[in-house]
Amino acid sequence: MTTLLRPAPLTAPRVSGDLPGPRSTVLLAHQERWESSARTYPRHLPIALAEGEGSFVRDVDGNVFIDFLAGAGVLSLGHNHPELVRAVRHQLDSLTHGLDFPTPAKDAFTQAQLSMLAPELRKRTRLHFCGPTGANAVEAAIKLCKIATGRGDIISFQGAFHGSTHATMALSGLVSQKAPVRDGMPGVHFFPYTASGPAPDGCSVNGADLLEQALRDGNGGIPLPAAVIMEMVQGEGGNFVARTDFVRKVREVTRSLGIPLIVDEVQTGCGRTGTWFAFEQYGIEPDVIVASKALSGIGLPVALILYDAALDTWAPGAHIGTFRGNQLAFAAGVETIRIIRRDDILRNVRRRGARIADRLAGLTRNPWVRQVRGRGLMWGIELADPRDGRPATEVAAAVQHHALRHGLIVERGGRDDAVVRILPPLNVTAEVVDMACSILVDAVSARAHRSSVH
């Protein structure tokens, strides 16, 4: 049994000694020896976790960190929320796995999810439970649209990230991810993603206009596709927030041409941006919604697609998954929605997001900071070399390390991993936001200054 050193309370960051500490070093060595080379987070965040509570985690050496990664966004109510733990424990006594049989827990989860949709959308929505990850749900969504339309091509956007499976990798923009895999899924076409602020690809043209031109031109080179898939905020792509006119034009074009629009809400969904789904802020209704990550609120895996009943043409068994009946996740998900309503969590997301925007605004005066951008509790700081504008990958890595050394866990993403990203729990307090922002601002200022000197 692992005994913790320096059992500091989980109320404020506290780091002493080198990182990784001696006990973390042992477990990281075990991981290096036996686990896949594909592991990612411990390479940049070299700690071994022991326990978590709310917005904090403690490593096996007793160090306490503010966790603004939150399981890559799955822990919407933080670590070990007591009411979610209680709901899961209660469900453990009755049923844990149910394939796609109806159960009280699954029915309650279904009704809870539908209740979060606008009334008119709710009336025509069907749910399909997929395998346990967001990538599984994206796979289900494109399969659904291909079967329903009888067409094969898919349109995605530059900078997108939809997963790491064979098909979802083909839909994602990261070329280096595709490079080692020969003969990826064919028929995927990419268009520029039009974001608020500086364009991620340097293109000032509205990508939706280019999309319309290509699809309406008989010599445009792209057959009418089975679907268009897009994110309202490109999280892994660097936290780019889609421009409203871009999103609405994509919806207008797809609807007029009879093309299903899939909105990937795996990371933005379940309240992350201040509304239950991010697309609500754009005044559109997609044909298919992909959801996963935060559906259970506590990190128990569950994924689903919500889609227009008109697309429900597939036969029994056309898309299955052994773990689509995770009763523990269903029970936690019902409780999560109850708490979100009771505690007005979406309002908290908007208020804390505004506070983060205010605290980080001063960073834009730093010559190494190209842009601070975000929505709700999903923020990114893009770092670029002021001398040539190139992504400052090493500076971003140094900022991440500096923040960890001072008790804050953050992630990196975007082009060349030069965007420092935060995904706090949705119920994070003002006090914790201020502590985290102070660490982050100091980290950016210190590492950017050191790079300028050198």
Side-chain angles (χ1 to χ4, degrees), residues 356-378:
I356 291 171
D358 182 62
R359 289 296 310 272
L360 301 185
L363 288 175
T364 56
R365 295 191 292 271
N366 188 310
W368 287 83
V369 176
R370 182 170 186 257
Q371 190 183 18
V372 176
R373 52 182 177 256
R375 182 160 290 180
L377 289 176
M378 188 175 181

Side-chain angles (χ1 to χ4, degrees), residues 153-157 187-191 211 215 222 225 227-229:
D153 288 24
I154 303 289
I155 287 174
S156 186
F157 291 92
V188 180
H189 310 275
F190 287 88
F191 282 81
L211 174 67
L215 293 180
I222 302 175
V228 171
I229 185 168

Side-chain angles (χ1 to χ4, degrees), residues 134-154:
N136 297 139
V138 172
E139 294 259 9
I142 62 173
K143 185 174 176 181
L144 171 76
C145 293
K146 286 185 175 185
I147 292 173
T149 63
R151 303 192 288 259
D153 288 24
I154 303 289

Side-chain angles (χ1 to χ4, degrees), residues 247-278:
V247 172
R248 289 181 178 174
K249 183 64 177 289
V250 169
R251 175 68 284 193
E252 176 190 325
V253 171
T254 53
R255 179 168 283 131
S256 67
L257 293 175
I259 303 167
L261 175 62
I262 303 169
V263 171
D264 183 341
E265 294 266 9
V266 170
Q267 192 164 119
T268 52
C270 303
R272 172 60 55 187
T273 65
T275 50
W276 185 246
F277 287 121

Side-chain angles (χ1 to χ4, degrees), residues 379-395:
W379 285 85
I381 303 166
E382 184 177 7
L383 299 166
D385 193 319
R387 294 163 293 195
D388 56 19
R390 293 182 180 180
T393 306
E394 292 183 4
V395 176

